[in-house]
Amino acid sequence: MHRRGLKCARAYTFLPRVPDAPLAHPLTRARSGGGAKSKPRTPFDEVHKSAATILSTARNSEFKGGWKHRRSPQSQETRLVDAILSQVVLPATGPPSPPTVPQLSSVSDMTASDDMSLELMGPHLGIGSLVELQREQSGHFGIIIGVHTLEDTGSTIFTLNVNGSLTYHHPEDAVWVVPNVIDKHLAARCGAAERAGSSTELMARVAVLQAVRDYQKRHEDLFNGMAARFATLHEQVCSPDPEEWAEVSVSHARFLLNIKNEDKKLALHCVHSHLLRRTREFLIVRTNYLDNPLLHVRPRAQVERFNEVSNMFRTKDPRLAEFTRNARQTVLALRELRGSSDNEPPSHAPAPGLEYTDNDRLMINFFLDGLTEMRAFQTNAHYPLMYALMKDMKLYKGDLGEAQIRNFLIDYGVYAPWQDWASRRIELDSAIRSRLGDAKQVQQQEDLVARTLTAPTLAPAQSDQPLGPEDFYPSDPLEHLRHDFGDLPVYVVDDKTAHELDDGISVETIPNEPENKWLHVHIADPTALLPPSHIFAKQAEERMESVYFLHRTYPMLPTALMRERLSLGTSSARGMPENVLTFSAKIDAVGNVLDHKVRVGLIRNVQIMQYDNVDQAMGFNGPAYKQPFGRPAVFDGPAQAITLSERAKNDFQLLKNISDTLARHRLQSPMFYFPHPRTYLSVHPNPLPPSVLDASAPGVFKGFPEVDYAVADFGEIEVGSRKIIAEAAKMACRVASLFTVSKGVPLIHRGLPPPTIYSESQFAELLASRDKRGYVDHYKARQAHFMFTSAGHSLEPQPHWMLALPEGEGYARVTSPLRRFTDLVAHWQIKNALLHGSSYFPRDVMQRYSNMTAAAAKRQGRMYDQHEHVWALLYIQRWMAQHGETGPLANLVGHALSVPRASDGAMSTQMVLIEELGLRVIVVDSQDRLVPRIGMPLNVRVGEIMLSPSGRTAFRVR
């Protein structure tokens, strides 16, 4: 047939379609056997046929192919061609050209704080791979037949779907991937255009479509056969603590369920499909799921509460009416007590005369359980029940949604008005509770620190005994190796709000080498006291790093331990030297590193300062923040003036020269930065009164904190003394890597490969446009055809394109052991190398830590972006309530960061950067009102601000 493919294909477009069969599988319709002899039709048959046709049409499903057919090769080929051609119309003559800018699928799971357009997909999303695509609560299978970067679209995948259509989508639309299902050469022959342009492309698509439908059939059969086994899985994998979340991998779930199949990839896919649907028990981890398929396991208490409440609805339990009645009365009472207190300082007090009953607490916890951030394609089973309860309260008008649930919890005295969603993420749930705890738990930590730090030093004969979980080192293991830096000034420079001080810098001239300088970076040395076996070290491993929210900080290590011993300055304040781990680099006049050293040290002349003080005293340029809404008076006031000694002035000038030299040296490599304006928010007071998440009693929350809404780009921030400290920290991380590589000791290295370049000429133009700092225009960078792979973590030294580090040198974080577990691990490794010449942790343990670090980095990055974005929206929402669309909101101009994307109905979406507000937002409007190219201006206005877990905001064209 291939010689007459197009002619035959046109004939096949007139063949009748087979009606769909009833739904029996999450992705496909049930099949019934074909080939049986037909029976005489009865009137009932005719009615049944008509009803089936009507229902099939009404279902509006993407899966149109049925299975009621003869299974001869010829008829099957005919049906597959028909499936393909039913989706498109072939051209009359000549092959078509692929669209320059295809209409991408709607990414309903993406928000303005998720910007994937400069990030390249992983290798598992290659041509010939089978993908499961999910949008909202529907999904389908397809085969990747093309991977391209077209103009303005970022990384774009072309997938041939199981129904014969072609979908253009982004990597993040895929929720499961099975690599190499189809030979990549066969897949490539399908072509990337919407319409097959030749018989070769058409028949290649037929072969691919056959393969994906065969896979779908096998998936359906195995999926349906294993359903009963999942009934007991949650009980097997949930945490012993009834209120703790847990995690389970898809592979471990398969092992526990004893699912055996010769096709292990298919078995894992089916297990994933079941877990995806059981949202009462399992939620997909938002970050890195394709690389590491993990699911959050709901706490046992949450599952029990859901079952209890849903059973109430089923039996029409009178406790439901009791709750809605009490809730309405309490909300109205609290509104009256709160009054018009928006402009007061934030406060919380118990509500006089009001209390929650046990039934109220059950329902409050049920609401809190349901307000968990989920992937958009997972159905939140809590919402329908929550909406039904709120509807009966008759407190809220219009459509109910996540924002109204939040408003109800605020009105009900549970949520503080400043409660954001990011600070209640699943990953932080147990960690935050363990960090804050109750007063008894905090006091226990204080007592442990006081008891162990004041205990007499063990006698030498006892020092070789194994350390218990509460034992610090009895003495400094490397005391005999410490280099005493004497009276060398060590400058500890940080923000005035810094909670722990973990790095200081100093500089030394070399009398016989006037062009060269020694830069010393002295890092706090918690591992002089803290062994890996200590309970605080185990807690640090669980937490991975300190969490800095705008309204509250959750430290990795106990505050008492940092206050009493670990933070730089605590020992010198008592007249004692400070233990440090020092990374030194000998730097020449053009920024080359001539020599390096790593030593344990003692510093005695510690001088603690603030960035703004140093900038003012030295006449350095400070950060150039813009305040579109003005600056609240509470944040006003110049930095406190300080007087620097002549030695300090000379040192800071030398340090500035070194930092400028290192920055210029990087520009010898083909790299650049492309920063864009973003928000820098500050909240006063800090910490704020927390929400009443334990549902102990109704609270009256009044007022709102002062917020300093500032906007700047990275290039406007990293200046003056901040640039000095940043460059010194980078150098310390380089020296750490050079040292451990020379010793053969594994560390966790960060790397960033060079971008994938699609237009050499545009890339060359960008390099030529760099300013003296190495910055290029953000929009031009996005318009250029290049893509980044995410920064990665490896035990091998990796090149880092943006830092201009070659392969083999490496970059390993070591400068923040008080707030990052990775740095703490690096210190144990380095000190063991100094003491014994070997690694403390074996390679397999380090690989586990590396994997943990990579996952935590993605999770924390998304969390901070979401947190700051929601706080910015909170501020804008309050501004609009008080001032309307005035001031900076009156004439907003955005610049396109993407091309328009087809959305629901006649509307399209476009990601836009509003520079004045420092916000990336989604603009929703008809496509003809949006702009076609990245960087083009667009007049916008604020639409509805929906304070949902993802912080979605609908901006419109003005």
Side-chain angles (χ1 to χ4, degrees), residues 291-326:
D291 295 322
N292 186 24
L294 277 177
L295 294 101
H296 299 296
V297 182
R298 281 193 183 271
R300 182 186 293 109
Q302 289 197 16
V303 175
E304 291 172 352
R305 280 192 289 266
F306 180 88
N307 292 336
E308 184 175 357
V309 173
S310 59
N311 187 60
M312 288 183 188
F313 276 90
R314 189 163 46 252
T315 60
K316 298 182 180 179
D317 194 303
R319 286 181 294 171
L320 297 175
E322 176 190 340
F323 168 70
T324 57
R325 182 174 58 253
N326 290 347

Side-chain angles (χ1 to χ4, degrees), residues 17-23 29 48-66:
R17 302 297 309 277
V18 180
D20 294 332
L23 183 67
R29 302 217 187 282
H48 185 273
K49 178 182 177 183
S50 299
T53 302
I54 294 170
L55 291 174
S56 174
T57 302
R59 276 195 297 265
N60 193 26
S61 170
E62 293 191 40
F63 303 102
K64 304 300 182 185

Side-chain angles (χ1 to χ4, degrees), residues 779-805:
Y779 304 110
K780 290 181 179 178
R782 297 181 75 102
Q783 290 166 1
H785 293 176
F786 71 92
M787 303 293 294
F788 278 110
T789 300
S790 299
H793 297 78
S794 171
L795 298 187
E796 304 299 332
Q798 301 292 313
H800 199 299
W801 180 77
M802 205 164 278
L803 294 179
L805 301 181

Side-chain angles (χ1 to χ4, degrees), residues 354-422:
L354 297 176
E355 61 181 18
Y356 297 134
T357 67
D358 289 341
N359 186 48
D360 294 337
R361 293 188 182 92
L362 168 66
M363 293 300 181
I364 289 171
N365 284 316
F366 173 76
F367 270 74
L368 294 175
D369 297 343
L371 285 180
T372 300
E373 186 183 12
M374 298 170 58
R375 300 293 294 269
F377 51 78
Q378 286 195 285
T379 303
N380 192 323
H382 289 70
Y383 279 177
L385 307 183
M386 294 157 73
Y387 294 150
L389 291 169
M390 290 178 62
K391 184 177 179 181
D392 287 345
M393 295 175 198
K394 297 181 174 60
L395 290 168
Y396 304 95
K397 298 178 180 180
D399 295 334
L400 295 176
E402 294 169 327
Q404 285 72 29
I405 295 174
R406 179 181 182 275
N407 290 339
F408 163 66
L409 290 174
I410 293 172
D411 289 344
Y412 199 31
V414 178
Y415 264 11
W418 43 85
Q419 177 69 57
D420 71 299
W421 303 90

Side-chain angles (χ1 to χ4, degrees), residues 69 361 411 435 958:
H69 49 68
R361 293 188 182 92
D411 289 344
R435 294 171 207 226
R958 174 167 49 84

Side-chain angles (χ1 to χ4, degrees), residues 624-922:
Y625 292 110
K626 303 177 184 67
Q627 262 113 6
F629 300 95
R631 183 174 173 86
V634 69
F635 297 99
D636 280 337
Q640 183 179 357
I642 62 171
T643 302
L644 296 177
S645 66
E646 287 302 314
R647 170 72 184 269
K649 290 180 180 179
N650 291 334
D651 285 351
F652 273 111
Q653 191 59 55
L654 287 174
L655 289 166
K656 183 179 186 301
N657 294 341
I658 291 172
S659 67
D660 290 341
T661 298
L662 293 173
R664 284 194 301 270
H665 187 269
R666 278 196 294 276
L667 296 186
Q668 297 176 14
S669 299
M671 52 74 62
F672 50 78
Y673 306 105
F674 45 99
H676 64 80
R678 51 151 294 186
T679 57
Y680 291 86
L681 307 182
S682 300
V683 171
H684 178 84
N686 187 326
L688 291 171
S691 296
V692 188
L693 300 179
D694 61 356
S696 54
V700 181
F701 288 97
K702 291 187 176 182
F704 200 82
E706 296 280 6
V707 178
D708 181 20
Y709 193 117
V711 177
D713 68 39
F714 175 76
E716 297 169 320
I717 300 301
E718 196 170 286
V719 294
S721 58
R722 289 170 174 82
K723 180 181 177 182
I724 292 173
I725 300 302
E727 290 293 343
K730 294 170 189 172
M731 181 54 66
C733 295
R734 291 175 61 185
V735 169
S737 182
L738 290 168
F739 171 79
T740 53
V741 168
S742 69
K743 298 290 185 181
V745 172
L747 278 193
I748 300 171
H749 300 271
R750 285 173 58 86
L752 180 67
T756 301
I757 301 170
Y758 295 92
S759 171
E760 294 283 355
S761 61
Q762 282 189 310
F763 193 79
E765 288 177 10
L766 281 174
L767 286 176
S769 70
R770 293 184 301 182
D771 64 15
K772 63 181 181 181
R773 304 167 301 168
Y775 297 161
V776 302
D777 181 80
H778 180 74
Y779 304 110
K780 290 181 179 178
R782 297 181 75 102
Q783 290 166 1
H785 293 176
F786 71 92
M787 303 293 294
F788 278 110
T789 300
S790 299
H793 297 78
S794 171
L795 298 187
E796 304 299 332
Q798 301 292 313
H800 199 299
W801 180 77
M802 205 164 278
L803 294 179
L805 301 181
E807 183 143 16
E809 178 173 326
Y811 182 86
R813 283 180 165 178
V814 292
T815 58
S816 299
L818 302 184
R819 62 183 182 89
R820 277 198 304 255
F821 179 69
T822 302
D823 300 45
L824 201 60
V825 168
H827 280 221
W828 281 314
Q829 290 286 85
I830 290 169
K831 292 174 74 174
N832 206 73
L834 290 170
L835 189 60
H836 301 298
S838 61
S839 171
Y840 182 88
F841 296 105
R843 193 171 184 86
D844 61 331
V845 174
M846 290 299 295
Q847 185 60 58
R848 179 169 65 86
Y849 287 153
S850 179
N851 296 341
M852 291 168 55
T853 301
K858 290 186 177 181
R859 182 174 65 242
Q860 298 286 78
R862 176 182 170 83
M863 178 186 69
Y864 285 130
D865 286 346
Q866 184 189 52
H867 174 69
E868 186 116 352
H869 188 72
V870 170
W871 266 90
L873 296 182
L874 267 172
Y875 185 91
I876 293 172
Q877 186 182 59
R878 287 176 54 80
W879 175 276
M880 291 179 66
Q882 298 174 7
H883 308 285
E885 292 189 59
T886 62
L889 303 183
N891 297 291
L892 290 176
V893 177
H895 289 80
L897 296 178
S898 70
V899 296
R901 299 174 184 172
S903 185
D904 299 329
M907 305 302 282
S908 293
T909 62
Q910 185 165 33
M911 184 176 288
V912 167
L913 172 64
I914 303 176
E915 294 188 3
E916 187 174 7
L917 300 182
L919 288 180
R920 290 190 305 241
V921 301
I922 301 296

